[in-house]
């Protein structure tokens, strides 16, 4: 893929993800990014929030409810969309993949929107691409507000 991959995310959806991170603090929030891929531009159309169903360590680990994952994969397919990634928060951490993320990131070619939340309710956000292969590697994505982008009709 030449050039940077762009993750377009409407501001209202970003605000919803940020609020989810604040509401879940001091634990991690999580959910899915549903949308479409057009070459190097991936556009998020909606979020599918999930309870963090990790059995332990929810301050440093997340797990999306498998029932939500299956439901949303079907719903996206039926709508001509795709599961293009996920979002989760890092309480009192950085908006970058953690060692735990690298160990547990099983699905390749997915966008990861990471929201760093702190006790003062401040949020920092970054987007990453979980690359191909069995070993999780992450590269930065360009995060862009899709509400500010003019699109040609396809």
């Amino acid at each position: 893929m030449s050039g940077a991959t762009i993750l377009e995310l409407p501001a209202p959806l970003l605000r919803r993800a940020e609020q989810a991170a604040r509401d879940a603090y001091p634990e991690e929030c999580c959910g899915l990014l549903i949308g479409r891929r057009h070459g190097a531009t991936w556009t998020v159309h909606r979020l599918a929030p999930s309870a963090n169903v990790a059995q332990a360590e929810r301050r440093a680990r997340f797990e999306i409810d498998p029932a939500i994952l299956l439901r949303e994969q079907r719903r996206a397919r039926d709508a001509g969309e795709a599961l293009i990634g996920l979002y989760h928060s890092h309480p009192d951490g950085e908006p970058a993949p953690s060692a735990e993320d690298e160990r547990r990131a099983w699905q390749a070619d997915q966008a990861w929107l990471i929201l760093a939340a702190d006790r003062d309710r401040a949020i920092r956000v970054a987007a990453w691409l979980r690359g191909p292969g069995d070993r999780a590697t992450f590269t930065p994505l360009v995060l862009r507000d899709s509400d500010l982008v003019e699109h040609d009709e396809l």
Side-chain angles (χ1 to χ4, degrees), residues 33-112:
L33 305 173
I34 310 297
R36 290 199 173 104
R37 295 176 180 153
H38 298 286
T41 302
W42 300 9
T43 304
V44 178
H45 296 155
R46 64 185 176 84
L47 303 179
S50 172
N52 181 349
V53 298
Q55 294 297 309
E57 304 289 333
R58 285 193 292 262
R59 282 187 54 84
R61 179 181 294 171
F62 75 95
E63 185 176 330
I64 292 172
D65 183 332
I68 290 173
L69 178 61
L70 290 173
R71 181 190 74 211
E72 293 301 328
Q73 285 176 322
R74 274 189 229 109
R75 183 177 171 198
R77 184 183 59 239
D78 292 346
E81 297 175 323
L83 167 63
I84 62 173
L86 56 86
Y87 67 92
H88 75 285
S89 61
H90 284 174
D92 299 316
E94 295 299 319
S98 65
E100 183 68 16
D101 293 338
E102 291 175 0
R103 278 191 295 278
R104 298 175 58 82
W106 59 272
Q107 193 168 10
D109 297 320
Q110 294 289 303
W112 282 53

